[in-house]
Amino acid sequence: FIPALILDLIIWNLIFVYLLKLLLEQLGVRRLWAWWLVAPIYAEVYWMMVRPAVLSVVFPFFVLFILALVRWLKNPKRLNALLLVFSFAATFYVYLYTWQVACATIVFVFLLFLIKKDWQTLKKLLVISIWSFALALPALIYIFRVISHPLFLETVSRAGSIQTHLPSVQTFYIARWIILNLVVWLGIKKLIPELKNNIDFIRAWHVITPIGLAIIIILMSPVISGRDAVIGEHLTREMYLWLAISASVLFYFVWNYVDFVYQRPNKKFIIAGLMILIFIPVIAQYKRSILPELSIDRPEAVYIQRYAAPIAWLNQHELRPLVVWATPDISNYVLIYSRRYVLIPSSGLADQYFMSE
C-alpha cells in the first residue's frame, strides 16, 4: 500500500511538471525558459502535490484543461477540439471545484467570442461544450443523485457547509489577489505598447483572464446558492496555481522587452513596481508551501512512532473497510498508512465530522 502510494505521487508529480512545461510553451514561452519557469510554479503548490491527497491528481487535470483550451484557441482544428472535449469532461470526474472553475472559464471564453462577434468560433465552442457535457453525463447523474438524497443537506452541514448568502472572508482575501493580478496585466500592456502587437501575449491574456474571473465567480456563488461549503478554502488551491502561472508568464513577456523598459526611465520603476506587486502573494506562498514540508520537528517525529503499532494491527486484523474513532493527532496517519476512514471527535469539530463508507 505505502510503496504504491509513493509511486503514485511520483508519477502524478512528473506528469504535472511535464504538462506545466507544455502549457508554458503553448502560452508563448520558449522551451528553455519554460523549464526554468516550471520550478517556481511547482514550488508554489509543492506542499499540495506531495501530500497523499487528491490534489496530486487534480492539478495535472486542471493544467491539462488549460493546455487544451490554449491549443484550441491557437488552432481550432479537430484534434485540438477533441482534446478540449476530453479534458473538459475529465474535470467532472476529478474534483468538484475544478469542474466548476472549468465551466465558468468556458462561459467567459464564450462571452469573449460573443463580444468579438466571432460566430464561427462561438459555434465550435458550443459544440465542444455539448460533447463535453455528454461525456460528463455519468458524473452529472451521480452528482444529481447525491444532492437529491434526503440526508444530503444534513450531511454537508456536518461537514462544514453553512447556509448563507454572504461570501466568506477568505473569498475577499483570494479575490483581491486575482483582481490585482489582472490589473497588473492591464498596466503592463499599457506601459509597453509593443505588447499589443504580440500575438502570444494577447492569447495568454485571453486565457489568464477568463480563469481568474471564473475563480472569482465561483467564490461568489453562495450569493445565489445560499450555501458556503468552505469554498474559499478549496478554491485557494487553484488560485495559487493560477497566480504562479500568470505571474511567471507575465514576467517572461516583460523580460523580452527589457531593452524597451530601460530606454524609458519614467516607466521602468512603475513596471518594476507592478511586477513586485504581482509576485507578492506568490512569494508569500513559498514560505507556506516549501518550508513546512522540509522542516522536521524531531521530538514530534519520535513521538508519532507510537502510532505505528496500532495502525499495523488494523492492517493485519481488519480486512474490511471500516470507520475508526480517532483523535485529531492520529487520524491523519490512519488515513495515510491504512485503508481505514476516521471519525474525528471534538477539537473544534464538535458539529463537523467527516466520515466515508
Side-chain angles (χ1 to χ4, degrees), residues 29-333:
V29 179
R30 291 195 298 270
R31 178 168 297 181
L32 184 59
W33 267 88
W35 280 117
W36 289 344
L37 293 178
V38 161
I41 297 173
Y42 178 76
E44 185 78 358
V45 294
Y46 172 74
W47 72 279
M48 291 178 272
M49 288 299 298
V50 298
R51 293 174 62 198
V54 69
L55 291 175
S56 61
V57 178
V58 170
F59 282 161
F61 278 99
F62 185 46
V63 172
L64 178 63
F65 165 71
I66 303 173
L67 172 63
L69 180 60
V70 176
R71 285 178 61 92
W72 181 79
L73 290 173
K74 292 177 70 173
N75 186 359
K77 62 182 182 179
R78 186 174 184 180
L79 182 61
N80 290 338
L82 287 173
L83 178 61
L84 181 55
V85 166
F86 285 107
S87 62
F88 184 22
T91 61
F92 287 85
Y93 295 91
V94 177
Y95 196 51
L96 172 64
Y97 300 97
T98 301
W99 71 256
Q100 292 183 32
V101 172
C103 286
T105 299
I106 292 296
V107 169
F108 279 111
V109 174
F110 189 90
L111 292 174
L112 175 65
F113 289 123
L114 187 63
I115 294 172
K116 295 169 65 175
K117 297 182 179 180
D118 189 345
W119 309 118
Q120 185 177 4
T121 307
L122 202 63
K123 181 181 177 181
K124 292 179 180 178
L125 184 59
L126 183 60
V127 172
I128 286 173
S129 300
I130 292 172
W131 278 107
S132 297
F133 282 115
L135 289 178
L137 190 58
L140 293 172
I141 293 174
Y142 177 77
I143 292 170
F144 176 76
R145 291 184 63 185
V146 169
I147 63 178
S148 301
H149 194 280
L151 297 178
F152 172 74
L153 290 179
E154 181 182 350
T155 303
V156 295
S157 296
R158 292 176 180 272
S161 176
I162 60 174
Q163 288 185 331
T164 179
H165 286 282
L166 295 175
S168 66
V169 174
Q170 195 167 15
T171 292
F172 295 99
Y173 173 81
I174 297 172
R176 66 171 180 171
W177 292 125
I178 296 174
I179 293 171
L180 174 64
N181 187 286
L182 297 178
V183 169
V184 170
W185 271 80
L186 287 173
I188 294 297
K189 182 181 177 182
K190 187 173 183 179
L191 291 168
I192 307 178
E194 285 79 358
L195 284 173
K196 296 178 181 178
N197 300 320
N198 188 315
I199 297 176
D200 289 328
F201 177 85
I202 298 301
R203 187 180 292 115
W205 166 247
H206 286 166
V207 172
I208 293 295
T209 303
I211 298 173
L213 294 177
I215 295 175
I216 292 177
I217 289 297
I218 302 303
L219 284 169
M220 301 298 292
S221 61
V223 174
I224 298 175
S225 67
R227 277 205 167 269
D228 183 1
V230 203
I231 195 168
E233 177 68 25
H234 293 283
L235 282 181
T236 299
R237 299 151 185 177
E238 269 92 354
M239 186 271 292
Y240 277 118
L241 175 58
W242 174 84
L243 277 180
I245 294 172
S246 176
S248 299
V249 171
L250 184 60
F251 174 79
Y252 169 79
F253 285 119
V254 171
W255 185 264
N256 283 340
Y257 289 89
V258 67
D259 292 335
F260 168 85
V261 174
Y262 274 111
Q263 292 172 8
R264 305 294 194 280
N266 58 328
K267 291 184 177 181
K268 66 180 181 180
F269 293 109
I270 300 176
I271 293 174
L274 289 175
M275 293 308 300
I276 291 173
L277 278 177
I278 202 173
F279 273 100
I280 285 177
V282 176
I283 294 174
Q285 178 62 14
Y286 286 152
K287 182 179 179 180
R288 294 187 290 268
S289 178
I290 300 175
L291 295 183
E293 302 299 328
L294 298 181
S295 61
I296 300 176
D297 186 339
R298 295 191 180 278
E300 176 69 13
V302 172
Y303 178 82
I304 62 176
Q305 298 304 314
R306 65 183 65 193
Y307 301 153
I311 293 175
W313 186 92
L314 282 174
N315 290 334
Q316 294 172 7
H317 296 86
E318 295 290 347
L319 302 180
R320 298 175 303 160
L322 51 83
V323 176
V324 178
W325 180 269
T327 64
D329 291 334
I330 195 175
S331 62
N332 292 330
Y333 302 99

